[in-house]
Amino acid sequence: MRTYTFVLVFVVMVFILNLANYEVDGTQSISKEEDLELDRQLNLLNKPPIKTIHSSWGDIYDCIDFYKQPAFDHPLLINHKVQMKPNSELKGGRDETSIFRTHVEKCPQGTVPIRRTRKEDLIRAKYLALSTEPMSASPHEKFAGILYKNEGETLFGASAKISIWKPTVDLDQYSLAEISLRSGWDSQYNRIHVGWTVNPLLYNNDTAVRNFVYWTSDNGNQTGCFNTLCPGFVQVNPEITPDLPLRITSIYEGIVYELKYHVYLSPSEKKWWFVIEDTTIGYWPTEILPRFGDTGVERIYWGGHSMDNEMGSFPEMGSGHLPDEKFNHAASFSQIQYDNASGNLLDVSDNKLTDIIGCKKIYGMDSYGYLEDQDRRHTIQYGGPGGVC
Ligand SMILES: *[C@@H]1O[C@H](CO)[C@@H](O)[C@H](O)[C@H]1NC(C)=O
Ligand SMILES: *[C@@H]1O[C@H](CO)[C@@H](O)[C@H](O)[C@H]1NC(C)=O
Ligand SMILES: *[C@@H]1O[C@H](CO)[C@@H](O)[C@H](O)[C@H]1NC(C)=O
């Protein structure tokens, strides 16, 4: 019998801080046509704000009329039935304001905050498509986690409590903790990824830990993006956006902080909702993810995911420490669950899981199966110090 270190786990969502450094990156060279195209996209994405909020960490948020937000510029969403909250709110009823102590003000009623997009964001976003093939990943991306395949079951969502850490990441690497859902084939892969990341390439050299979402309907070739860098993700929360920094991260041999991330399909509403703890952030309309369809997704991945730099060196993943059964040493995913067709969250079963460890030299993954502790349930530890594989 394994013994598990008892760790007090506080669920605290405290978004914020970390002053980012904003310099216009003039080093990219793009053609005149590309430049005009970027201006066109920027005009579409940055709508006239009702109000502008300058966050304490440097990002600018524009409060946009809910119905005019960039998501609805997606050509497939012209007749989309808009919705401002899920029909059935999740049970729980935690007071949002006690969980999210954000320094972003609330947007006025009827408007939602959208992080203002700059040209540099779009230039870099183009090269930041996430690949998601843990089984045959590009040599520049490594994974350490578990895969679950449906095999006759309908998977209508995925959830887990993910511990929050701050891995050390160079300006040209990224490190994420993600839940990713996938359906389709090859160039037709539809995907949604959610979780936290340190991704200076995405966030203007900012090495803060931030939440993120990502989607694509063609395996990252042409469609999709992170957060609201392209039309698609519909923001419904007047305060909490998918890209906010997290102020509090876990401490080695100290307190572990965890957040529960959940993505699920509401078939009657035709929306894939994104929820952190009990707070609904927004949704992806099913129109833009045709392969997810009414039959749900085919595969779910829970775990770490990183990209190397030009020297072939990978960043820290998770806490930067290898799994050792101590939850204040290595990073973890607990309560690993999926939604079935009736909307019940079910624990994954061991015999349908595949372990993924992209490079044993620099990362580890240990799947502990179902732990009796109700706070843990199905649990893995993953991550490591990184380096050259
Ligand atoms: C990516 O999209 C372009 C333009 O639609 C297409 O020509 C190309 O074949 C696609 N590549 C892959 C790998 O799907
Ligand atoms: C990020 O840092 C690199 C290296 O210091 C620098 O060349 C680049 O201009 C910076 N980019 C931004 C957006 O600040
Ligand atoms: C979903 O799970 C619940 C609880 O185990 C079960 O009662 C229900 O029948 C399941 N729904 C489907 C469609 O399998």
Side-chain angles (χ1 to χ4, degrees), residues 9-243:
V9 176
F10 295 80
V11 175
V12 180
M13 271 190 125
V14 192
F15 287 112
I16 269 357
L17 248 34
N18 281 300
L19 290 168
N21 174 17
Y22 291 113
E23 266 168 31
V24 174
D25 187 347
T27 57
Q28 310 270 0
S29 68
I30 51 171
S31 73
K32 185 101 176 94
E33 294 86 73
E34 282 174 320
D35 197 46
L36 286 171
E37 170 58 21
L38 289 173
D39 284 336
R40 195 191 63 83
Q41 288 178 26
L42 275 183
N43 265 329
L44 272 179
L45 289 172
N46 294 326
K47 308 285 185 194
I50 308 279
K51 177 181 172 181
T52 294
I53 295 169
H54 293 264
S55 69
S56 59
W57 60 94
D59 287 350
I60 297 173
Y61 291 89
D62 288 323
C63 299
I64 309 294
D65 182 301
F66 179 86
Y67 296 98
K68 294 192 179 133
Q69 63 177 297
F72 301 129
D73 289 325
H74 193 291
L76 293 175
L77 299 183
I78 289 162
N79 296 316
H80 173 68
K81 191 165 169 288
V82 172
Q83 204 170 332
M84 290 182 81
K85 47 162 80 159
N87 288 339
S88 52
E89 285 272 38
L90 295 174
K91 294 168 221 90
R94 198 193 301 270
D95 177 15
E96 277 183 20
T97 53
S98 68
I99 310 167
F100 302 100
R101 275 193 278 134
T102 107
H103 291 198
V104 192
E105 299 158 55
K106 238 187 172 116
C107 277
Q109 203 176 6
T111 70
V112 287
I114 305 286
R115 181 168 173 260
R116 191 178 294 175
T117 303
R118 305 174 320 157
K119 200 177 277 187
E120 307 87 83
D121 295 324
L122 291 183
I123 294 169
R124 277 167 304 160
K126 259 173 77 168
Y127 303 103
L128 276 179
L130 281 181
S131 96
T132 192
E133 211 7 275
M135 304 292 267
S136 56
S138 111
H140 299 292
E141 291 175 61
K142 295 290 174 220
F143 296 79
I146 50 168
L147 268 184
Y148 196 68
K149 294 216 184 83
N150 65 354
E151 289 171 28
E153 252 177 317
T154 313
L155 311 178
F156 270 7
S159 173
K161 252 165 84 167
I162 309 179
S163 62
I164 310 293
W165 295 87
K166 188 177 189 300
T168 302
V169 174
D170 289 346
L171 292 182
D172 50 358
Q173 302 168 323
Y174 64 69
S175 187
L176 5 143
E178 67 178 356
I179 304 174
S180 77
L181 302 88
R182 194 192 78 184
S183 266
W185 59 92
D186 304 329
S187 64
Q188 302 285 307
Y189 279 131
N190 285 198
R191 298 191 252 126
I192 285 177
H193 303 229
V194 304
W196 60 256
T197 183
V198 176
N199 192 339
L201 295 160
L202 177 64
Y203 295 113
N204 317 315
N205 286 353
D206 182 2
T207 53
V209 184
R210 292 179 182 245
N211 285 327
F212 79 94
V213 298
Y214 174 86
W215 71 277
T216 176
S217 59
D218 64 357
N219 207 26
N221 182 15
Q222 302 281 318
T223 68
C225 60
F226 282 92
N227 305 329
T228 45
L229 287 174
C230 65
F233 181 76
V234 180
Q235 172 78 30
V236 302
N237 194 293
E239 198 175 359
I240 312 299
T241 60
D243 48 31

Side-chain angles (χ1 to χ4, degrees), residues 340-342 344 346:
N340 77 1
S342 335
N344 291 77
L346 305 180

Side-chain angles (χ1 to χ4, degrees), residues 300-316:
I300 304 168
Y301 171 76
W302 292 263
H305 176 173
S306 68
M307 188 191 73
D308 65 352
N309 59 18
E310 281 187 354
M311 329 270 273
S313 179
F314 287 87
E316 288 184 351

